[in-house]
Amino acid sequence: MFEVGKIRQDFPFLMKAEQADPQLVYLDNAATTLKPQSVIDAVVRYYTESSVNIHRGDYALSYEVSNAYEGVRKTVAKFIQCEPNEVVFTSGASAALNLVAYGYAEKVLKQEDVILMSEAEHASNVLPWFRVAEKTGAKIEYLPLDEEGVLTLEGFKEALHDKVKIVTLAHISNVLGAVVPIKEITALTHQKGAIIVVDGAQSVPHTKTFVKDWDVDFLAFAGHKMLSPTGVGVLYGKFELLQQMDPFLLGGGSNARFDKNGHVVLKNPPFKFEAGTPAIEGVLGLDAAICYIEALGFEAIEQHELELKHYTVEKLKQFKHIKLYNEKSQSGIIAFNVIGIPTQDVAAYLSSLGVMVRAGNHCAKLLSEIIHTQETVRASINFYNTKAEMDIFIDALKDITLEKCIDLIF
Amino acid sequence: MSDLLKDPLILRQIIMDHYEYPRNHHLVEDETYHKAHMASESCIDDITVMAKIENNVIQDVCFDGIACTISTASTSIMSELLIGKTLEEATEIISEYYKMVELLPYDEEMLQEAVAFHQVGKQANRIKCATIGFKAIETCIKEHKHDQ
Ligand SMILES: Cc1ncc(COP(=O)(O)O)c(C=O)c1O
């Protein structure tokens, strides 16, 4: 039984938010999520009880922290269903995507090769590829999307051809919440001998990930969008691809030895990619976050989030002044506009009533041609949200007017 | 003027009017204009302001782009306020406007309809919106002086 009331008690922010006047309703979960006490405790425990560095295990405490840190690699591996040595810790999803782009793609791509992506991608999964294209002479091509930002298998098949060497796609889009059929797309990609990079920033937190079963080559995600502290993310890569990939940061921790003549022997993956002292508390916090999510179970999480999404969409559909952009998408993201009111004013108005949403283009600046709007307001749901919170959000939108938005500055 | 400040209904009307019917809302293909593209300020507003400055006087100001109510209305008001002013007058008006936005004492007469934003400073996250057009025209003036 999914008891959201009980779950909420684990989140100190939510307990405060409920007492605030007006009550605060957090619906910007696609940007980052709130943290449960167990994650906060893990971070505090590291600083109060351990504090020392890892991989310098000359004394007992450092050995223990190193072990705990490596233990998280196993937790992550189990969580996304791969081997621990295929889990590279990074500073976030952006760092993970940049690492694949410069460490792998830049090394293997040649002039006239094609990188295939969609126009719904987040800037972090666009800009590194622009640079790779510029450096290698490879070309970027875009996949066809329908007006809800959905990529169909037919569309994918048509866009795929022999020159495509890399496909890079978000499993779930951060603007429209469209879910990509990743397993089928991966199979098609491999039939052409290409590699697939998956941006899992919005999917890994909300739905079960099976990298081995899906057979994806790389997958990036961020801890902070799934309850963990900021500053930690993961790049999964098939081990043989990680062996081929170059690090783009060098330094302590990533090399086995080096000499005066510049001979460097790097460690094996994943360690060769992890130069410098990492966000140790972030990684330990990620462990607590995964533990929390697994205890709830993805089945219950997805069911609850989708129920809230459908409930809200059904209500918002009744309002003539609201335009919805992704009614059908099977994720907790609701993209909409209030007709005649700029997104930022809508967000500011909702904020005055305690509701936190995001306005703008959500770092997906290429999407405007598909959905015929430069900007949207985005409400994004997480498992700790409630129907009562969605009602506050819906009520706030019910009688929003331009006048009321402007009156906020008086 | 002071009475006007006390009537939010009238001030709201001014902002609504400039948002729904922005003045000088177009761009020109004219090399003699200075141009400032303001897109980095926030993720949302993306405004271009153009200004023609000749004989030390702002001859014309126009703008276009995607923006919220406050950026659009304040930039529209700015354009009306500054057309025809000398650079010294314009600089003074801009500086009074910034004072107002920071909730400091300012000259109401000088700002005319721009007083509609006299309370915007209370919403820290909207200050950027209310000043984007003014920042843009400052850039144009700076560019002009640099060219001289
Ligand atoms: C789809 C997607 N990809 C990548 C990112 C970047 O994640 P991070 O900010 O953790 O690097 C985000 C976060 O906004 C995202 O939504």
Side-chain angles (χ1 to χ4, degrees):
Chain A
M1 179 59 196
F2 193 77
E3 290 180 77
V4 69
K6 228 166 126 205
I7 288 167
R8 290 171 69 83
Q9 288 174 16
D10 296 331
F11 290 78
F13 181 98
L14 289 173
M15 291 299 96
K16 267 181 84 172
E18 283 180 9
Q19 300 308 316
D21 183 23
Q23 179 184 336
L24 297 176
V25 176
Y26 186 69
L27 290 175
D28 193 16
N29 292 288
T32 197
T33 57
L34 307 173
K35 318 305 174 200
Q37 191 63 48
S38 60
V39 167
I40 299 166
D41 285 346
V43 173
V44 172
R45 200 179 313 118
Y46 166 69
Y47 285 120
T48 48
E49 294 175 19
S50 317
S51 250
V52 302
N53 213 329
I54 53 164
H55 303 319
R56 322 271 196 281
D58 303 326
Y59 42 91
L61 196 52
S62 175
Y63 181 76
E64 274 169 35
V65 180
S66 302
N67 265 353
Y69 186 91
E70 286 310 313
V72 185
R73 221 183 284 281
K74 291 184 191 140
T75 308
V76 172
K78 221 175 112 221
F79 181 62
I80 60 171
Q81 312 251 308
C82 65
E83 296 302 320
N85 64 6
E86 296 174 314
V87 173
V88 181
F89 288 123
T90 66
S91 68
S94 302
L97 292 163
N98 275 268
L99 175 54
V100 189
Y102 309 137
Y104 180 79
E106 203 177 302
K107 197 172 167 188
V108 303
L109 287 180
K110 302 199 172 48
Q111 196 120 22
E112 302 305 311
D113 284 347
V114 168
I115 302 165
L116 192 54
M117 63 164 83
S118 101
E119 281 156 89
E121 296 306 310
H122 186 278
S124 297
N125 197 28
V126 176
L127 303 187
W129 301 108
F130 280 1
R131 180 179 284 187
V132 167
E134 199 181 304
K135 287 204 175 167
T136 59
K139 284 192 302 204
I140 307 257
E141 287 179 7
Y142 297 100
L143 288 158
L145 301 177
D146 74 8
E147 70 286 353
E148 282 207 10
V150 176
L151 169 65
T152 62
L153 278 179
E154 290 65 42
F156 185 76
K157 278 183 205 158
E158 271 170 38
L160 196 61
H161 54 83
D162 291 338
K163 289 244 184 271
V164 174
K165 291 293 176 293
I166 291 193
V167 172
T168 186
L169 273 180
H171 184 188
I172 296 183
S173 140
N174 67 309
V175 188
L176 294 172
V179 186
V180 162
I182 215 70
K183 188 172 174 174
E184 292 78 3
I185 278 178
T186 301
L188 292 168
T189 303
H190 288 162
Q191 277 170 22
K192 290 276 178 208
I195 290 283
I196 185 160
V197 180
V198 179
D199 177 356
Q202 298 296 345
S203 62
V204 175
H206 301 282
T207 186
K208 184 72 189 154
T209 302
F210 301 93
V211 288
K212 284 283 134 132
D213 178 53
W214 298 343
D215 202 27
V216 300
D217 299 294
F218 291 101
L219 172 112
F221 65 97
H224 69 93
K225 293 188 200 284
M226 45 176 280
L227 316 183
S228 114
T230 54
V232 56
V234 168
L235 174 67
Y236 156 80
K238 283 181 180 163
F239 191 74
E240 59 274 21
L241 294 176
L242 291 182
Q243 282 177 309
Q244 288 173 42
M245 185 165 85
D246 288 337
F248 93 110
L249 264 185
L250 293 170
S254 68
N255 65 84
R257 57 190 151 308
F258 55 90
D259 66 22
K260 255 171 42 178
N261 300 323
H263 299 308
V264 183
V265 181
L266 290 176
K267 286 185 181 170
N268 283 325
F271 308 107
K272 73 172 179 181
F273 304 108
E274 295 179 8
T277 300
I280 301 171
E281 87 284 18
V283 169
L284 298 175
L286 178 62
D287 196 60
I290 291 175
C291 192
Y292 192 96
I293 288 172
E294 293 204 308
L296 292 180
F298 275 115
E299 209 177 314
I301 288 174
E302 273 186 277
Q303 197 191 339
H304 179 73
E305 291 176 359
L306 286 179
E307 196 180 307
L308 289 186
K309 191 216 161 179
H310 293 142
Y311 172 77
T312 309
V313 162
E314 284 311 308
K315 293 263 169 132
L316 292 183
K317 262 166 76 174
Q318 322 277 319
F319 300 162
K320 290 212 169 53
H321 59 294
I322 303 276
K323 174 160 177 53
L324 291 164
Y325 293 95
N326 67 339
E327 230 178 87
K328 294 199 246 14
S329 81
Q330 295 296 305
S331 69
I333 288 177
I334 302 168
F336 67 97
N337 264 316
V338 181
I339 294 162
I341 309 183
T343 58
Q344 197 176 1
D345 295 273
V346 174
Y349 179 73
L350 291 175
S351 168
S352 74
L353 298 172
V355 181
M356 296 175 247
V357 296
R358 172 104 192 258
N361 54 37
H362 316 291
C363 303
K365 304 197 188 230
L366 302 176
L367 192 59
S368 56
E369 285 169 33
I370 310 279
I371 57 176
H372 308 296
T373 179
Q374 291 283 344
E375 303 178 346
T376 52
V377 186
R378 178 186 72 188
S380 49
I381 295 163
N382 206 9
F383 60 76
Y384 43 61
N385 288 122
T386 63
K387 234 176 212 167
E389 286 183 311
M390 300 321 288
D391 281 332
I392 294 176
F393 167 64
I394 294 160
D395 281 346
L397 284 174
K398 191 186 290 170
D399 47 14
I400 185 173
T401 59
L402 189 59
E403 285 84 349
K404 285 185 184 175
C405 293
I406 290 172
D407 282 351
L408 288 176
I409 67 161
F410 298 119
Chain B
M1 206 69 187
S2 296
D3 296 338
L4 186 68
L5 280 181
K6 291 196 196 81
D7 192 346
L9 274 183
I10 294 182
L11 297 182
R12 179 224 272 172
Q13 207 47 52
I14 293 173
I15 296 177
M16 291 276 287
D17 186 46
H18 278 274
Y19 169 67
E20 293 185 309
Y21 310 100
R23 321 294 196 268
N24 305 305
H25 196 236
H26 58 90
L27 295 178
V28 289
E29 296 279 340
D30 186 339
E31 293 292 309
T32 64
Y33 278 66
H34 293 281
K35 190 170 178 176
H37 180 208
M38 310 294 282
S40 54
E41 289 275 310
S42 79
C43 195
I44 300 176
D45 295 321
D46 188 328
I47 281 193
T48 301
V49 171
M50 295 182 77
K52 186 180 174 77
I53 305 171
E54 237 173 40
N55 305 324
N56 201 46
V57 172
I58 299 180
Q59 310 284 352
D60 189 26
V61 180
C62 53
F63 76 104
D64 201 1
I66 301 159
C68 68
T69 51
I70 297 177
S71 337
T72 304
S74 62
T75 305
S76 169
I77 290 175
M78 176 280 287
S79 72
E80 286 204 318
L81 202 49
L82 296 192
I83 291 175
K85 298 287 190 301
T86 65
L87 291 186
E88 292 72 29
E89 287 165 342
T91 308
E92 212 178 329
I93 291 170
I94 295 168
S95 134
E96 288 305 303
Y97 184 79
Y98 288 162
K99 282 187 207 161
M100 177 186 78
V101 166
E102 283 175 38
L103 305 172
L104 298 169
Y106 64 97
D107 185 337
E108 284 168 28
E109 290 302 329
M110 208 183 266
L111 291 186
Q112 311 229 359
E113 282 191 326
V115 297
F117 297 101
H118 73 118
Q119 299 270 43
V120 77
K122 289 185 178 162
Q123 306 264 331
N125 59 338
R126 303 312 292 275
I127 291 177
K128 269 187 191 162
C129 316
T131 52
I132 189 167
F134 287 83
K135 292 257 160 69
I137 192 81
E138 271 190 307
T139 308
C140 293
I141 292 174
K142 214 187 262 167
E143 218 181 78
H144 171 79
K145 287 187 174 159
H146 183 80
D147 288 351
Q148 294 293 297

